[in-house]
Amino acid sequence: MTRFNLEDRFLHGGDYNPDQWLDYPEILQKDLELMDKAQANTFSLGIFAWSTLEPEEGVFHFEWLDKIMDDIYAHGGNVILATPSGARPSWMSKKYPEVLRTNASREKNLHGGRHNHCFSSPVYREKIAIINKKLVERYGNHPALLMWHISNEYSGDCHCDYCQENFRHWLKKKYQTLEELNEAWWGPFWSHTITDWTEIESPSPLGETMVHGLNLDWNRFVTDQTIDFFEHEIKDIRRLTPTIPVTTNFMADTYDLIPFQSLDYGKFSKHVDVVSWDCYPAWHNDWESVADLASKVGFINDQYRSFKQQPFLIMESTPSGVNWHDVNKTKRPGMHLLSSMQFIAHGSDSNLYFQWRKSRGSSEKFHGAVVDHDNDEQNRVFKDVVQVGQALEKIKEIKGSYKRAKVAIIYDSDNNWALGDAQGFSNASKQYSQTLQKHYRYFWNQDIAVEVITKEQDLANYELVIAPMMYLISEATMKKWQDYVANGGHLVSTYITGYVNEHDLTYINGWPRPLQELFGIKVTETDSLYPKDQNSLHFENHEYVVQDYCSLFEVIDSEVLATYGADFYQGQAAVTKNKVGKGTAYFIGARTEAAFLEMFYGELTRQYGLENQWVVQGDSDVSVQARDFEEKSYYFVMNFSQEKKEIQVSEESQDLLTNETVLPTISLAPYEVKVLSPIRLK
Ligand code: GAL
């Protein structure tokens, strides 16, 4: 049992950079006072502190960190201690330029920024191993140490000679022979046959970007190389502190709040003990409703919960605005509590912030923080944080609970990369991630729990699995889908599925057989529509607008649920249903408007008993998410709108935040959240 599991409270606090304030002892003193007032209990230390920890090569200064760790502990707090590899001291870049990254154009970066290091550099690996060992030897038994925060937001790639060598080595291991590699990369195309391993170079705007097999392998290599670096970082940590959990902070794709595009986090998540992530939605923006954005945040939370099927952590969020959106709007009253509770509702066991205190200089001096430049607890943001601290204390019995969902959506990184690369279809409107989020939206609106899983995860527990746009699909995945449906599962797939295999090579001899058998159709063509084009689906006397993509297919042995309304394929099958074994396989041939998905999934959820039984009358701006212990359930009821809302639930409940008893009809003020526990279960 790790210390984290033994903690009986939610983590509340965040990134703390005392190393920026060592010349201001009164500030460090004030921090301790304010930490108590903010009900903050956990701080991530040392994330970018390498130049303070090792100001000269081989000269280490830990006294300041000793004191901060001791002080935080004396105030009842925990520390998530970081390894400092996210940024390096300037002496290191100067003496060993190899530690810096080389970009795809083969230019060596200068010292500066952060996350600007080569994952292969032997010197960087040696230097990080030394400092990490010193940290674990010194603090491994410190009573405040709760968890290891390895590096910071690993991302990016390096194209230096070391990385090229490692890439070639990785390819040799994978393909064994150049014949195999040339087959996978379709070598003769444009005379690209490789005749010696040393000819292989990573993708570059100066050289190769059109060999899709190479691009896909490079993306996979970058994930593996990043994980390899992570594993290198934690060698001594694992050996010396086997019971202290290890994490690294994942991201989402910034503004869009779609899954992070450049690393396969599903793979990475197997190497961490707890998944944690940094979440920065642009609340109250002018292009989408708060509920639209909240559902995307919900999607990513569900993905991070589902990777390990256990509670995850919010490692960073902001108590107000950030500094890097185009417009950095502060949260409206109520939004901070609501957005914080949303994390918890989806399975987070923390709400941690970037940052504890605003820095005085450099680019993040105006980034939202718990403590502003006024150095005071009287401002609105600090009070909002206190409110969250109090709320987390009131609901602390929920920590560690977990609810499995009966519906899963598959997100696949390989597919995302390959489809992104594919030149064809409608290049500008592929929108794989956004499509998944549109399908998810129905379930979010209906308060039906969803897990967002990888293609490798087990499907057996799900009643319904949704796998849109699986352009890249291996025969193994097809077999898995067949087995799932044969054993009683219900599967939904869509247009642009089943084009290429795991090497990004197209299937030949028609649409893959296993998919033909599963869906009872044979896709023959995909029509791509211009943005102003439209077609329609005719389904049970209703017409639904379709855009972007229409698959044309022969029906082999499948029930036709909808037909196309126009064009040369008017009247042909557009949506089908095929019963196979004990289950059903649905195929949606076109990109539809949301109204179609609502109707379609409405039917399926009714048919398969997936509706949220607790919510009698919901509202699409009010999200309800549950967390469970075996004997007890908790419902987070969250109003993501500026309007007052009412929803009706099936039983009288108690609000853990206010202790009020709530009748089956629940009234919510704008942006209000209630955390309810049904009274019967108490
Ligand atoms: C994160 C990063 C933090 C901080 C934050 C600002 O990506 O890990 O160090 O820069 O963004 O929003």
Side-chain angles (χ1 to χ4, degrees), residues 322-339:
V322 296
N323 64 330
W324 51 268
H325 290 168
D326 289 341
V327 173
N328 298 293
K329 199 163 178 174
T330 55
K331 289 178 180 170
R332 275 30 208 165
M335 196 64 210
H336 184 52
L337 180 64
L338 176 64
S339 57

PDB file of all heavy atoms in Angstrom, residues 322-339:
ATOM      1  N   VAL A 322      -5.152  31.642 -17.605  1.00  0.00           N
ATOM      2  CA  VAL A 322      -3.757  31.304 -17.869  1.00  0.00           C
ATOM      3  C   VAL A 322      -3.084  32.529 -18.495  1.00  0.00           C
ATOM      4  O   VAL A 322      -3.642  33.627 -18.497  1.00  0.00           O
ATOM      5  CB  VAL A 322      -3.622  30.050 -18.769  1.00  0.00           C
ATOM      6  CG1 VAL A 322      -4.175  28.838 -18.070  1.00  0.00           C
ATOM      7  CG2 VAL A 322      -4.287  30.248 -20.118  1.00  0.00           C
ATOM      8  N   ASN A 323      -1.913  32.352 -19.061  1.00  0.00           N
ATOM      9  CA  ASN A 323      -1.221  33.462 -19.736  1.00  0.00           C
ATOM     10  C   ASN A 323      -1.026  33.178 -21.220  1.00  0.00           C
ATOM     11  O   ASN A 323      -0.544  34.026 -21.936  1.00  0.00           O
ATOM     12  CB  ASN A 323       0.151  33.710 -19.094  1.00  0.00           C
ATOM     13  CG  ASN A 323       1.067  32.505 -19.273  1.00  0.00           C
ATOM     14  OD1 ASN A 323       0.608  31.366 -19.340  1.00  0.00           O
ATOM     15  ND2 ASN A 323       2.356  32.742 -19.361  1.00  0.00           N
ATOM     16  N   TRP A 324      -1.391  31.986 -21.666  1.00  0.00           N
ATOM     17  CA  TRP A 324      -1.014  31.593 -23.022  1.00  0.00           C
ATOM     18  C   TRP A 324      -2.188  31.396 -23.968  1.00  0.00           C
ATOM     19  O   TRP A 324      -1.999  31.052 -25.126  1.00  0.00           O
ATOM     20  CB  TRP A 324      -0.127  30.349 -22.989  1.00  0.00           C
ATOM     21  CG  TRP A 324      -0.667  29.202 -22.176  1.00  0.00           C
ATOM     22  CD1 TRP A 324      -0.413  28.954 -20.856  1.00  0.00           C
ATOM     23  CD2 TRP A 324      -1.563  28.180 -22.599  1.00  0.00           C
ATOM     24  NE1 TRP A 324      -1.089  27.837 -20.436  1.00  0.00           N
ATOM     25  CE2 TRP A 324      -1.797  27.340 -21.492  1.00  0.00           C
ATOM     26  CE3 TRP A 324      -2.184  27.890 -23.808  1.00  0.00           C
ATOM     27  CZ2 TRP A 324      -2.643  26.236 -21.544  1.00  0.00           C
ATOM     28  CZ3 TRP A 324      -3.027  26.778 -23.866  1.00  0.00           C
ATOM     29  CH2 TRP A 324      -3.243  25.969 -22.742  1.00  0.00           C
ATOM     30  N   HIS A 325      -3.434  31.580 -23.495  1.00  0.00           N
ATOM     31  CA  HIS A 325      -4.540  31.616 -24.444  1.00  0.00           C
ATOM     32  C   HIS A 325      -4.490  32.969 -25.157  1.00  0.00           C
ATOM     33  O   HIS A 325      -3.814  33.904 -24.681  1.00  0.00           O
ATOM     34  CB  HIS A 325      -5.880  31.495 -23.722  1.00  0.00           C
ATOM     35  CG  HIS A 325      -6.137  30.135 -23.125  1.00  0.00           C
ATOM     36  ND1 HIS A 325      -7.163  29.894 -22.237  1.00  0.00           N
ATOM     37  CD2 HIS A 325      -5.509  28.951 -23.285  1.00  0.00           C
ATOM     38  CE1 HIS A 325      -7.156  28.607 -21.889  1.00  0.00           C
ATOM     39  NE2 HIS A 325      -6.159  28.018 -22.503  1.00  0.00           N
ATOM     40  N   ASP A 326      -5.200  33.113 -26.275  1.00  0.00           N
ATOM     41  CA  ASP A 326      -5.208  34.424 -26.949  1.00  0.00           C
ATOM     42  C   ASP A 326      -5.814  35.469 -26.028  1.00  0.00           C
ATOM     43  O   ASP A 326      -5.353  36.601 -25.942  1.00  0.00           O
ATOM     44  CB  ASP A 326      -6.037  34.357 -28.242  1.00  0.00           C
ATOM     45  CG  ASP A 326      -5.306  33.546 -29.294  1.00  0.00           C
ATOM     46  OD1 ASP A 326      -4.080  33.369 -29.141  1.00  0.00           O
ATOM     47  OD2 ASP A 326      -5.954  33.082 -30.238  1.00  0.00           O
ATOM     48  N   VAL A 327      -6.878  35.074 -25.367  1.00  0.00           N
ATOM     49  CA  VAL A 327      -7.518  35.954 -24.383  1.00  0.00           C
ATOM     50  C   VAL A 327      -7.554  35.154 -23.089  1.00  0.00           C
ATOM     51  O   VAL A 327      -8.017  34.015 -23.085  1.00  0.00           O
ATOM     52  CB  VAL A 327      -8.957  36.306 -24.824  1.00  0.00           C
ATOM     53  CG1 VAL A 327      -9.679  37.080 -23.738  1.00  0.00           C
ATOM     54  CG2 VAL A 327      -8.935  37.077 -26.131  1.00  0.00           C
ATOM     55  N   ASN A 328      -7.045  35.733 -22.031  1.00  0.00           N
ATOM     56  CA  ASN A 328      -6.936  34.974 -20.778  1.00  0.00           C
ATOM     57  C   ASN A 328      -7.989  35.452 -19.783  1.00  0.00           C
ATOM     58  O   ASN A 328      -7.741  36.284 -18.931  1.00  0.00           O
ATOM     59  CB  ASN A 328      -5.516  35.112 -20.227  1.00  0.00           C
ATOM     60  CG  ASN A 328      -4.513  34.533 -21.203  1.00  0.00           C
ATOM     61  OD1 ASN A 328      -4.483  33.332 -21.439  1.00  0.00           O
ATOM     62  ND2 ASN A 328      -3.735  35.390 -21.843  1.00  0.00           N
ATOM     63  N   LYS A 329      -9.157  34.890 -19.988  1.00  0.00           N
ATOM     64  CA  LYS A 329     -10.310  35.339 -19.220  1.00  0.00           C
ATOM     65  C   LYS A 329     -10.307  34.674 -17.843  1.00  0.00           C
ATOM     66  O   LYS A 329      -9.938  33.494 -17.732  1.00  0.00           O
ATOM     67  CB  LYS A 329     -11.554  34.904 -19.999  1.00  0.00           C
ATOM     68  CG  LYS A 329     -12.806  35.618 -19.652  1.00  0.00           C
ATOM     69  CD  LYS A 329     -13.833  35.381 -20.767  1.00  0.00           C
ATOM     70  CE  LYS A 329     -15.144  36.043 -20.445  1.00  0.00           C
ATOM     71  NZ  LYS A 329     -16.087  35.942 -21.559  1.00  0.00           N
ATOM     72  N   THR A 330     -10.734  35.397 -16.846  1.00  0.00           N
ATOM     73  CA  THR A 330     -10.792  34.770 -15.517  1.00  0.00           C
ATOM     74  C   THR A 330     -12.105  34.004 -15.377  1.00  0.00           C
ATOM     75  O   THR A 330     -13.061  34.231 -16.116  1.00  0.00           O
ATOM     76  CB  THR A 330     -10.705  35.815 -14.388  1.00  0.00           C
ATOM     77  OG1 THR A 330     -11.725  36.768 -14.608  1.00  0.00           O
ATOM     78  CG2 THR A 330      -9.361  36.498 -14.371  1.00  0.00           C
ATOM     79  N   LYS A 331     -12.116  33.122 -14.413  1.00  0.00           N
ATOM     80  CA  LYS A 331     -13.325  32.319 -14.223  1.00  0.00           C
ATOM     81  C   LYS A 331     -14.429  33.178 -13.604  1.00  0.00           C
ATOM     82  O   LYS A 331     -14.166  33.949 -12.671  1.00  0.00           O
ATOM     83  CB  LYS A 331     -13.033  31.139 -13.288  1.00  0.00           C
ATOM     84  CG  LYS A 331     -12.161  30.073 -13.924  1.00  0.00           C
ATOM     85  CD  LYS A 331     -11.883  28.964 -12.918  1.00  0.00           C
ATOM     86  CE  LYS A 331     -11.028  27.880 -13.501  1.00  0.00           C
ATOM     87  NZ  LYS A 331     -10.559  26.925 -12.496  1.00  0.00           N
ATOM     88  N   ARG A 332     -15.624  33.010 -14.101  1.00  0.00           N
ATOM     89  CA  ARG A 332     -16.781  33.723 -13.553  1.00  0.00           C
ATOM     90  C   ARG A 332     -17.124  33.143 -12.188  1.00  0.00           C
ATOM     91  O   ARG A 332     -16.806  31.962 -11.921  1.00  0.00           O
ATOM     92  CB  ARG A 332     -17.984  33.578 -14.489  1.00  0.00           C
ATOM     93  CG  ARG A 332     -18.072  34.569 -15.649  1.00  0.00           C
ATOM     94  CD  ARG A 332     -16.766  35.045 -16.140  1.00  0.00           C
ATOM     95  NE  ARG A 332     -16.811  36.369 -16.733  1.00  0.00           N
ATOM     96  CZ  ARG A 332     -15.734  37.118 -16.983  1.00  0.00           C
ATOM     97  NH1 ARG A 332     -14.525  36.692 -16.690  1.00  0.00           N
ATOM     98  NH2 ARG A 332     -15.849  38.295 -17.520  1.00  0.00           N
ATOM     99  N   PRO A 333     -17.805  33.943 -11.325  1.00  0.00           N
ATOM    100  CA  PRO A 333     -18.142  33.410  -9.991  1.00  0.00           C
ATOM    101  C   PRO A 333     -18.828  32.050 -10.087  1.00  0.00           C
ATOM    102  O   PRO A 333     -19.728  31.861 -10.894  1.00  0.00           O
ATOM    103  CB  PRO A 333     -19.082  34.486  -9.426  1.00  0.00           C
ATOM    104  CG  PRO A 333     -18.648  35.747 -10.112  1.00  0.00           C
ATOM    105  CD  PRO A 333     -18.225  35.333 -11.495  1.00  0.00           C
ATOM    106  N   GLY A 334     -18.384  31.140  -9.295  1.00  0.00           N
ATOM    107  CA  GLY A 334     -18.956  29.790  -9.261  1.00  0.00           C
ATOM    108  C   GLY A 334     -18.175  28.807 -10.126  1.00  0.00           C
ATOM    109  O   GLY A 334     -18.191  27.600  -9.885  1.00  0.00           O
ATOM    110  N   MET A 335     -17.498  29.325 -11.145  1.00  0.00           N
ATOM    111  CA  MET A 335     -16.859  28.428 -12.116  1.00  0.00           C
ATOM    112  C   MET A 335     -15.692  27.660 -11.510  1.00  0.00           C
ATOM    113  O   MET A 335     -15.430  26.524 -11.904  1.00  0.00           O
ATOM    114  CB  MET A 335     -16.359  29.254 -13.314  1.00  0.00           C
ATOM    115  CG  MET A 335     -16.036  28.420 -14.506  1.00  0.00           C
ATOM    116  SD  MET A 335     -17.515  27.600 -15.129  1.00  0.00           S
ATOM    117  CE  MET A 335     -16.817  26.136 -15.799  1.00  0.00           C
ATOM    118  N   HIS A 336     -14.998  28.280 -10.571  1.00  0.00           N
ATOM    119  CA  HIS A 336     -13.832  27.559 -10.038  1.00  0.00           C
ATOM    120  C   HIS A 336     -14.258  26.325  -9.251  1.00  0.00           C
ATOM    121  O   HIS A 336     -13.708  25.238  -9.426  1.00  0.00           O
ATOM    122  CB  HIS A 336     -12.959  28.480  -9.189  1.00  0.00           C
ATOM    123  CG  HIS A 336     -11.724  27.769  -8.713  1.00  0.00           C
ATOM    124  ND1 HIS A 336     -10.895  27.111  -9.597  1.00  0.00           N
ATOM    125  CD2 HIS A 336     -11.228  27.536  -7.476  1.00  0.00           C
ATOM    126  CE1 HIS A 336      -9.921  26.514  -8.923  1.00  0.00           C
ATOM    127  NE2 HIS A 336     -10.100  26.746  -7.636  1.00  0.00           N
ATOM    128  N   LEU A 337     -15.277  26.497  -8.419  1.00  0.00           N
ATOM    129  CA  LEU A 337     -15.751  25.329  -7.667  1.00  0.00           C
ATOM    130  C   LEU A 337     -16.319  24.284  -8.634  1.00  0.00           C
ATOM    131  O   LEU A 337     -16.022  23.090  -8.532  1.00  0.00           O
ATOM    132  CB  LEU A 337     -16.823  25.757  -6.649  1.00  0.00           C
ATOM    133  CG  LEU A 337     -17.382  24.618  -5.803  1.00  0.00           C
ATOM    134  CD1 LEU A 337     -16.303  23.998  -4.919  1.00  0.00           C
ATOM    135  CD2 LEU A 337     -18.550  25.099  -4.929  1.00  0.00           C
ATOM    136  N   LEU A 338     -17.114  24.776  -9.588  1.00  0.00           N
ATOM    137  CA  LEU A 338     -17.741  23.852 -10.533  1.00  0.00           C
ATOM    138  C   LEU A 338     -16.688  23.076 -11.335  1.00  0.00           C
ATOM    139  O   LEU A 338     -16.746  21.844 -11.432  1.00  0.00           O
ATOM    140  CB  LEU A 338     -18.639  24.650 -11.485  1.00  0.00           C
ATOM    141  CG  LEU A 338     -19.315  23.869 -12.611  1.00  0.00           C
ATOM    142  CD1 LEU A 338     -20.275  22.840 -12.054  1.00  0.00           C
ATOM    143  CD2 LEU A 338     -20.057  24.814 -13.560  1.00  0.00           C
ATOM    144  N   SER A 339     -15.716  23.789 -11.898  1.00  0.00           N
ATOM    145  CA  SER A 339     -14.723  23.096 -12.743  1.00  0.00           C
ATOM    146  C   SER A 339     -13.851  22.179 -11.889  1.00  0.00           C
ATOM    147  O   SER A 339     -13.417  21.121 -12.358  1.00  0.00           O
ATOM    148  CB  SER A 339     -13.882  24.088 -13.542  1.00  0.00           C
ATOM    149  OG  SER A 339     -13.238  25.004 -12.691  1.00  0.00           O
TER     150      SER A 339
END
